[in-house]
Amino acid sequence: MGHHILRLDGRRHLRPAKLPAAADAPALPEVPEGLAGASAQRRRALLAQGEPRNAIVATWLDLEESTTASGLTRRPAETPGEYVSRVLGTWDVDVRALADLADLYREARFSAHPIGPDQRDRALRDLDRVHADIAAARGRGS
């Protein structure tokens, strides 16, 4: 790819001769069934039953495990939470809902204070948003 030299304020700048066309962009991988359908229903059922702390932890761990079905490789320095966020972000999943769900997981897993129905309700809303975005991505065929 060639470069052009531009002069702005007496300085030299390089820029690509042409920007890559949208067709040059890599295609998004298909959303794997492991993130949608029956596994999404299983995650919602996990979250809806039992003690809220355990339900939130079990649901996030299931989401982590299901994310590996994407086939996208985890980077060496990436935490499991970062990996889940990056992979699901591939399909334009609501980052606020996903981040809040991850925060609730860390709170449930690592805090000593009580985790109650309010946190479970919040996690259910977050999970429903994430699942809706995944389903929409599957519907678009990406």
Side-chain angles (χ1 to χ4, degrees):
M1 184 184 303
H3 292 84
H4 295 290
I5 298 175
L6 302 174
R7 289 192 178 272
L8 299 173
D9 301 329
R11 300 162 108 189
R12 296 174 69 182
H13 295 277
L14 296 177
R15 77 167 186 203
K18 74 170 197 151
L19 295 174
D24 295 342
L28 288 177
E30 265 189 52
V31 177
E33 179 59 33
L35 283 171
S39 56
Q41 292 171 2
R42 179 186 67 242
R43 274 188 296 279
R44 195 166 200 300
L46 279 171
L47 190 50
Q49 63 190 356
E51 195 272 322
R53 178 184 304 275
N54 295 338
I56 291 169
V57 169
T59 300
W60 180 265
L61 293 176
D62 186 89
L63 186 60
E64 280 183 6
E65 186 177 314
S66 296
T67 300
T68 62
S70 69
L72 297 174
T73 307
R74 186 169 153 200
R75 296 172 183 156
E78 208 167 34
T79 67
E82 291 167 338
Y83 173 68
V84 169
S85 296
R86 179 176 59 85
V87 170
L88 294 183
T90 301
W91 299 288
D92 199 24
V93 169
D94 185 316
V95 293
R96 290 174 309 224
L98 187 58
D100 192 50
L101 189 58
D103 287 346
L104 286 165
Y105 159 71
R106 284 188 291 273
E107 182 182 4
R109 177 112 189 231
F110 301 112
S111 73
H113 62 267
I115 302 294
D118 289 345
Q119 284 101 333
R120 183 200 314 263
D121 291 344
R122 213 171 94 204
L124 280 165
R125 283 190 303 274
D126 292 338
L127 186 64
D128 286 346
R129 179 73 254 156
V130 168
H131 284 161
D133 290 346
I134 290 169
R138 276 184 68 85
R140 289 188 302 268
S142 53

